[in-house]
């Protein structure tokens, strides 16, 4: 599925009221808060916890690497990707590599930024 850029929403884009767009923009600003290291570690442990331990060579190294990666993205993005039944654990049968998690984080970050950009465009 192709991403719709904010500058090209297409002919079938339903315009929202200005108040709804402003609410989306405000929520986007709040959602851009950084992920705290403690929260990132909790999310990383939760991801590891839903998979078999045999899938990872050294669980502590994996959790540290994953926590560092999750902490480098906004909290709303990290939380969505790490969510047990909406994020990666619900879509992948095997423990994701750090690269797969990074791709998912980047895609979710783009998606959230596009939502806010579309709201700005509509205003």
């Amino acid at each position: 599925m192709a991403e719709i850029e904010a500058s090209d929403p297409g002919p079938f884009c339903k315009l929202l009221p200005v108040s709804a767009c402003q609410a989306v923009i405000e929520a986007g600003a709040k959602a851009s808060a950084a992920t705290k290291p403690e929260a990132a570690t909790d999310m990383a442990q939760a991801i590891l916890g839903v998979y078999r331990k045999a899938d990872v060579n050294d669980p502590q190294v994996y959790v540290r690497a994953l926590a560092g990666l999750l902490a480098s993205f906004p909290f709303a993005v990290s939380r969505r990707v790490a969510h047990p039944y909406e994020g990666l654990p619900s879509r992948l049968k095997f423990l994701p590599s750090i690269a797969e998690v990074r791709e998912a984080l980047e895609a979710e970050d783009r998606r959230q930024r596009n939502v806010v950009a579309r709201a700005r465009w509509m205003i």
Side-chain angles (χ1 to χ4, degrees):
M1 174 169 52
E3 270 189 32
I4 299 173
E5 295 298 324
S7 60
D8 184 24
F12 302 109
C13 179
K14 179 182 174 188
L15 295 178
L16 299 174
V18 172
S19 60
C21 292
Q22 288 171 334
V24 167
I25 293 167
E26 289 173 15
K30 289 178 185 175
S32 66
T35 303
K36 295 180 180 178
E38 305 82 34
T41 300
D42 291 344
M43 286 185 260
Q45 288 173 338
I47 289 173
L48 179 64
V50 298
Y51 292 99
R52 297 182 312 237
K53 290 197 181 218
D55 288 345
V56 65
N57 187 36
D58 188 340
Q60 290 178 338
V61 171
Y62 181 81
V63 166
R64 278 196 308 267
L66 189 54
L69 181 59
L70 291 166
S72 69
F73 283 84
F75 179 74
V77 171
S78 297
R79 181 183 59 200
R80 184 152 176 119
V81 169
H83 197 276
Y85 56 88
E86 291 179 3
L88 284 180
S90 69
R91 294 191 305 258
L92 300 179
K93 294 180 181 180
F94 300 100
L95 185 69
S97 69
I98 298 300
E100 289 172 317
V101 176
R102 179 180 203 87
E103 289 172 1
L105 288 164
E106 289 170 347
E108 179 61 23
D109 190 44
R110 262 192 317 276
R111 187 194 71 78
Q112 289 186 14
R113 288 176 191 267
N114 277 341
V115 168
V116 173
R118 283 189 209 125
R120 284 192 181 113
W121 178 87
M122 287 183 191
I123 289 177

